Amino acid sequence: MQLLQVVNMFSGDLLRRYGQKVFKLSLHGGFSCPNRDGTLGRGGCTFCNVASFADEQRQFQSIGEQLAGQVGSVDRAKRYLAYFQAYTSTYAEVAVLDRLYREALAQADIVGICVGTRPDCAPSEVLELLAGYQRQGYEVWLELGLQTAQDKTLHRINRGHDFACYRQTVMRARRLGLRVCTHLIVGLPGETATDCRSTLEQVLAAGVDGLKLHPLLLVEGSVMARAWRAGRLAELTLEGYTAIAGEMIRHTPPEIVFHRICASARPPTLLAPLWCANHWTGMNALYNNLHTEGGQGAALGMPFQPAAS
Ligand code: SF4
């Protein structure tokens, strides 16, 4: 599959910039989430079961141990990005964050960090901290969970923030020169292909450097799982995801880097759609769509041109 020929994928972007493969290592910083602990809300986002994307065992290991444990299992990479992924990875005092982030950056062969958080959980002092690492020559990505730009849906899925909050955070982060990667979900309750396109347009208008797209995964333990079991929530089909995500990618300018274009999970955590149990099912279908109907930027008349290798 020649996905790198039709989409500006992060792996290809890193390869071009570093001249070698760079791999993202996922970390658990022991953080919580303000949308779960009662600070902003309880119960969390209705699609969320943190256990489906975070390895909870890792929270008992130091950052150095987590990195060392993964380096050995990664093939062919000699450079790494430390990815603070679990929960809200800016949700602590700045001094605590600095200690954790520095512990990652101090490891050999780490070229930078990616920090996943909520738009309402990135105060200026945290952004300044991250910008400071960037000034030291590290690559830094602020990964913001937005999921949709539609306030009605954000309220419905209990995100606890609106699009204006996201736009403000992006503006502050990019003013400091930080790279922003925004996470979006296709298939949220009540949303159509038009809503997804509108979300993309609003995110592009706000300014963004990277995108992560994934289908709505219905996972055990989430609020949505109950609605799905009760027959009140339809699952996203492979064809539906491919058509919507394909159009979003075709409407994305070529310089924007896709950190992800699909996602998978394993049963029994994954309840539906079961085509998401296999990582390659969605990836292959999306590649076929992009290959035949046009790749990234094609709908804008500026198709992605992969650099000659
Ligand atoms: S998706 Fe993120 S912000 Fe929402 S409840 Fe889960 S950890 Fe918290």
Side-chain angles (χ1 to χ4, degrees):
M1 184 172 62
Q2 295 296 311
L3 189 60
L4 301 189
Q5 302 296 312
V6 289
V7 185
N8 187 6
M9 293 299 296
F10 195 36
S11 57
D13 172 62
L14 289 167
L15 186 62
R16 281 191 295 279
R17 290 191 287 116
Y18 288 89
Q20 60 183 302
K21 194 168 170 171
V22 180
F23 202 84
K24 235 167 140 175
L25 302 174
S26 180
L27 298 173
H28 195 316
F31 302 106
S32 173
C33 165
N35 202 21
R36 290 183 162 272
D37 70 6
T39 304
L40 289 169
R42 288 209 183 273
C45 310
T46 58
F47 58 82
C48 177
N49 171 2
V50 188
S52 67
F53 63 85
D55 183 343
E56 296 290 5
Q57 288 309 311
R58 287 193 185 143
Q59 67 180 303
F60 305 113
Q61 298 176 316
S62 72
I63 296 299
E65 286 168 343
Q66 292 181 52
L67 290 170
Q70 293 175 74
V71 163
S73 61
V74 175
D75 225 14
R76 297 192 309 276
K78 291 200 173 59
R79 293 279 184 276
Y80 307 95
L81 283 163
Y83 178 23
F84 285 85
Q85 180 182 21
Y87 293 86
T88 303
S89 292
T90 55
Y91 191 39
E93 296 294 324
V94 175
V96 174
L97 297 175
D98 191 28
R99 179 176 56 74
L100 287 167
Y101 298 158
R102 276 185 194 282
E103 192 178 341
L105 292 169
Q107 308 298 313
D109 304 325
I110 296 286
V111 297
I113 53 172
C114 305
V115 176
T117 190
R118 298 167 50 87
D120 55 0
C121 220
S124 295
E125 50 278 25
V126 172
L127 299 182
E128 289 283 356
L129 180 73
L130 295 174
Y133 305 140
Q134 192 158 271
R135 285 193 292 274
Q136 290 166 35
Y138 292 109
E139 174 150 351
V140 179
W141 283 87
L142 182 70
E143 299 209 15
L144 291 176
L146 172 64
Q147 322 312 351
T148 173
Q150 316 306 323
D151 283 343
K152 204 167 109 190
T153 312
L154 287 169
H155 180 70
R156 182 171 176 177
I157 63 175
N158 196 36
R159 280 292 297 176
H161 65 78
D162 59 13
F163 183 71
C165 167
Y166 163 83
R167 196 169 35 210
Q168 280 292 325
T169 301
V170 169
M171 212 184 296
R172 288 187 293 112
R174 296 186 93 230
R175 212 179 279 145
L176 289 169
L178 290 169
R179 293 176 168 101
V180 173
C181 173
T182 299
H183 298 199
L184 300 175
I185 296 179
V186 171
L188 286 168
E191 291 216 335
T192 61
T194 306
D195 292 315
C196 294
R197 277 281 305 285
S198 153
T199 286
L200 177 72
E201 279 161 21
Q202 291 181 68
V203 166
L204 293 175
V208 75
D209 306 279
L211 291 172
K212 259 187 192 176
L213 291 186
H214 68 83
L216 177 65
L217 302 181
L218 297 164
V219 292
E220 190 62 86
S222 66
V223 174
M224 281 189 191
R226 291 203 291 276
W228 174 76
R229 282 201 169 99
R232 287 185 277 110
L233 186 60
E235 62 191 65
L236 186 61
T237 63
L238 176 59
E239 296 70 28
Y241 181 69
T242 306
I244 294 173
E247 275 303 291
M248 290 172 83
I249 293 169
R250 273 187 285 285
H251 282 83
T252 301
E255 69 275 10
I256 292 181
V257 179
F258 278 92
H259 290 225
R260 184 195 289 159
I261 59 167
C262 201
S264 59
R266 292 204 192 105
T269 302
L270 175 71
L271 300 172
L274 287 178
W275 59 267
C276 290
N278 183 324
H279 173 72
W280 293 109
T281 305
M283 293 291 280
N284 285 333
L286 200 42
Y287 170 72
N288 288 335
N289 175 290
L290 295 165
H291 182 63
T292 49
E293 296 187 31
Q296 183 172 344
L300 305 172
M302 41 175 156
F304 169 63
Q305 306 280 353
S309 54

